[in-house]
Every structure is written in C-alpha cells, then in structure tokens.
Amino acid sequence: MFGHADAVAVADDTATYSNAVSRHLQVPNGFDGAAHRDYRTMIDRYFTDDAIAGFEPTLRSICADLVAAVPRGVDVDLMAELAEPFANDATCAFMGWPDSLRAPMREWTEKNRRATLAVDRTAMAEIAVEFDGHIRTQLDARRGRPATDPTGALLEERLDGRPLSDEEIVSIIRNWSVAELGTIAASAGVVAGFLARHPDVQEQLRADPGRLDVATDEIQRMNSPFVASRRRVTVATEIAGTPLEAEDRVYVVWTSANRDPRVFGDPDEFRLDRDPADNLVYGRGVHYCPGARLARLELRVLFEELFSGTTAIAPGAQAPVPARYPAGGWSRLPVRLT
Ligand code: HEM
C-alpha cells in the first residue's frame, strides 16, 4: 500500500488485515482484538507524559555528553558519532539498565544490522538468543525486589490476575528496545540531515526550539524512518483494484504514504501547519506507536542540546548514503559541526 488512502484503509480495518504475521511471539504487535487491547492498556501506562517526564534530566545529560564529544570543524559521520550512541544510551537508561551494558548493546545492534541486511537467518537467530540473554540477566537481577525501573515493573504486572511469563516480558522489551534502537537512531539522522541541508529551517528552530516537536514530525513525514509494516489478509477482499486472498500478505509503506501528493501537495515542502492526523510516521489506529511521546521527547532533547552546543550543523563534503530496507533514513550522514 503506497498511497495514503490505501495505507489508512488497511491500518483501520483490523478485521480484514491482521497483525498476526509472524510465527514468533510479538507482544503487543503480533496480536489482534481483545488480546492486543489488554497488552496495550498495560504497555501504554509506561509512556504517559507523567511516566516519561522523570527521564528528561538523565536523557539531557546523555545528549549533552555525546554532543560535546563530536569533533568540531571536520566532517564526521553523524550516524556513528551521535545518532547511534544516542539511541543506544537513551534506550539503556530508559529501561534502567546499567552503564556497563551500553557497549555490549551497541555491539549487538551492529551485529543485528549486519545479519538483517545479509538476510542471514542463522546469525539472526543466534543474535536474538544473545539479546534474550541480556534481558534475562536484567530480569534475574530484579526478581523479588521492589521495582525501580520499567524492566522491574514488568515483573510486577498482572494480566487477568496472572503475572507475565518471561517470554512475554522479553518480547515486550525486545519490541521497545529494538524499535527504539533502530528507529530513533534513524530519526535523529533524518532530522539532522534535513537541518544541515536547510539552514533556513535550522535558523528558525534554533530561534524557536519550542517548535521542535512539530518540526521533527514534519521532517520525518518527508523521509519516514520506519518504512513499512506487514499485515495478513483474513478474508478474500480487494484493495486498490487488486484482488486479495485470505493468507496473502500486504505491506503498508508508511514512507511512501507520507509523501502522497494527493494529501500533502508537494511532499518535499516543509510546513509546520499541516494536519497532524495525516502524518503516518508513528502509524495509525490501534497499533499506533505507543513510544511516540518518548520518541518526540528524545528527539527534542537531542536537538536542544545540539543547538546549544553548536553554532551550525552543515553538510559534509560527501553525500549521505541512504540506509537499505528494512532500515530507513541514512546509513552514513557526513556533516560538519561548528
Ligand atoms: C521516531 C521513532 C519511532 C517511530 C518512527 C516509530 C514508528 C512506529 C510505527 C509506524 C508503528 C506502527 C506499526 C504497525 O502499525 O504495524 C509503531 C508501533 C510500535 N512502536 Fe514505534 N516508533 C518509534 C519509536 C518507538 C519507541 C521509542 C518505542 C518504545 C520504547 C516504540 C515501540 C513500538 C511498539 C511496541 C509498537 C507496536 C504497537 C502495537 O502493535 O500496538 N516505538 N512504531
């Protein structure tokens, strides 16, 4: 589904287009109906304004340290120097994981990216087991103790009166952290790359950082870092003139739908007055991203720190290198900070 109307039609019709697409347990995104709703009611509590507000000071100090460490006056790859460590360190801190886990998590993300791009299923399975091991170590350290972070709080959750199984908790945390590690790094790169190439917008936001939330949504509309989501057809139907059978798979391509000229006019025109309901960067409907508030907070704080720590973000001599699907955004983003 490349068009906006078709993407919306599929996302909204959860009876015809199911999220049960994988044979692996995926909490909450692999579920439909009441089971999905129960998981989401629980998960959404971790991402309310109140729940994430206390994270801002820690996040700010992580961003300030990382921004200060980027060399000035020379071309750097912003993905490797800032966006990826930012996503990694922010995720570990939000989950309440120790600083000692930051380096292993970065290595894990890199291995995971290489295996995913190479479609190396054996390596991907081994890497998934390694990740589960990291999470189970964190769970074991918290069992039987009062919860002080989201990782510990999941151990205390009750669903229909029963505790979550370790498999459910690992799946929930995998969805939070892998989503966050990959997507938020890509988002930071997409926004930084755009600001480097649009000094007028950069000046506008440096003067008025209060518009950062709206601006990062609009910049990501033009180059959505979360490219596509799969759905399974449950009954024979037809969409966009194409007949579909039960068990067919369809992809909702957010990146393309967000550039549909029938909805956005010139898709490359940066505008702060667009209707936020049209922007599909965080998805749509019951599967709308539960982490959207956290993602906006993280991007706002990162760019506030980048603005206060620099006078300009300028393009590097070499062109950015687009990431390869399923990743979005840039894999290399040469920029120069002054
Ligand atoms: C800029 C960063 C992010 C973007 C662009 C993004 C985008 C999306 C999109 C498009 C979906 C819808 C998927 C679908 O309909 O199948 C989604 C779902 C989801 N996102 Fe995000 N996301 C981001 C950050 C995060 C963060 C920070 C978290 C958690 C910490 C998170 C957790 C999830 C989860 C668990 C789902 C599945 C929800 C469900 O099926 O009910 N995301 N995200």
Side-chain angles (χ1 to χ4, degrees):
M1 301 300 127
F2 291 98
H4 192 276
D6 295 331
V8 165
V10 169
D12 285 352
D13 184 357
T14 53
T16 309
Y17 301 100
S18 162
N19 260 53
V21 283
S22 170
R23 58 196 165 84
H24 300 292
L25 179 70
Q26 293 186 327
V27 183
N29 30 321
F31 287 82
D32 300 315
H36 174 260
R37 195 184 53 234
D38 291 349
Y39 280 130
R40 276 298 297 257
T41 306
M42 178 186 75
I43 286 171
D44 286 353
R45 287 199 298 271
Y46 289 75
F47 300 103
T48 61
D49 283 335
D50 282 351
I52 63 176
F55 180 48
E56 185 166 336
T58 309
L59 176 64
R60 192 170 294 286
S61 110
I62 289 171
C63 293
D65 289 350
L66 289 171
V67 167
V70 179
R72 303 299 200 264
V74 289
D75 284 8
V76 295
D77 172 16
L78 198 89
M79 296 310 297
E81 296 282 345
L82 184 62
E84 285 157 9
F86 149 73
N88 185 70
D89 295 1
T91 302
C92 290
F94 179 75
M95 296 308 296
W97 298 341
D99 291 356
S100 58
L101 199 55
R102 289 182 183 178
M105 284 301 294
R106 279 211 73 189
E107 278 169 34
W108 181 87
T109 309
E110 190 43 44
K111 273 193 278 186
N112 190 38
R113 190 190 3 244
R114 277 200 301 267
T116 309
L117 282 177
V119 201
D120 180 343
R121 301 217 182 269
T122 314
M124 278 154 84
E126 282 165 15
I127 290 164
V129 170
E130 185 186 332
F131 187 77
D132 290 3
H134 285 312
I135 297 178
R136 281 176 205 270
T137 307
Q138 293 307 311
L139 293 176
D140 289 345
R142 289 164 177 79
R143 287 184 214 278
R145 300 176 180 203
T148 54
D149 56 39
T151 306
L154 286 168
L155 284 166
E156 293 180 358
E157 288 290 354
R158 293 287 178 276
L159 207 62
D160 291 335
R162 65 162 180 94
L164 297 174
S165 67
D166 271 12
E167 283 68 29
E168 287 174 302
I169 299 181
V170 169
S171 177
I172 290 171
I173 295 181
R174 194 185 306 115
N175 274 313
W176 291 358
S177 38
V178 178
E180 187 169 1
L181 285 169
T183 319
I184 201 94
S187 307
V190 162
V191 175
F194 182 87
L195 295 180
R197 282 180 165 67
H198 296 82
D200 51 330
V201 177
Q202 189 180 145
E203 274 318 305
Q204 186 186 349
L205 292 174
R206 281 179 181 274
D208 185 8
R211 308 302 311 269
L212 265 169
D213 279 0
V214 189
T216 55
D217 275 16
E218 168 66 353
I219 294 168
Q220 292 181 89
R221 178 194 62 72
M222 293 183 272
N223 186 3
S224 293
F226 189 126
V227 179
S229 296
R230 257 190 317 168
R231 298 290 190 262
R232 182 172 59 83
V233 178
T234 59
V235 288
T237 185
E238 185 182 314
I239 190 158
T242 305
L244 296 170
E245 299 296 332
E247 298 307 318
D248 278 351
R249 298 290 193 271
V250 298
Y251 284 80
V252 179
V253 187
W254 309 112
T255 307
S256 164
N258 260 335
R259 298 181 53 80
D260 188 335
R262 288 166 291 190
V263 175
F264 300 105
D266 175 2
D268 285 317
E269 188 190 0
F270 172 83
R271 280 177 48 182
L272 290 176
D273 62 349
R274 294 190 189 273
D275 182 349
D278 289 335
N279 192 332
L280 302 177
V281 69
Y282 292 105
R284 155 139 189 149
V286 295
H287 293 279
Y288 182 83
C289 178
R293 275 199 195 85
L294 177 64
R296 288 195 183 99
L297 170 73
E298 291 186 355
L299 291 172
R300 173 171 63 73
V301 171
L302 175 67
F303 283 91
E304 281 170 0
E305 290 306 312
L306 251 177
F307 289 164
S308 65
T310 62
T311 51
I313 307 165
Q318 291 181 338
V321 180
R324 263 172 47 205
Y325 181 79
W330 309 112
S331 67
R332 261 181 66 77
L333 177 64
V335 298
R336 185 174 285 229
L337 303 187
T338 46

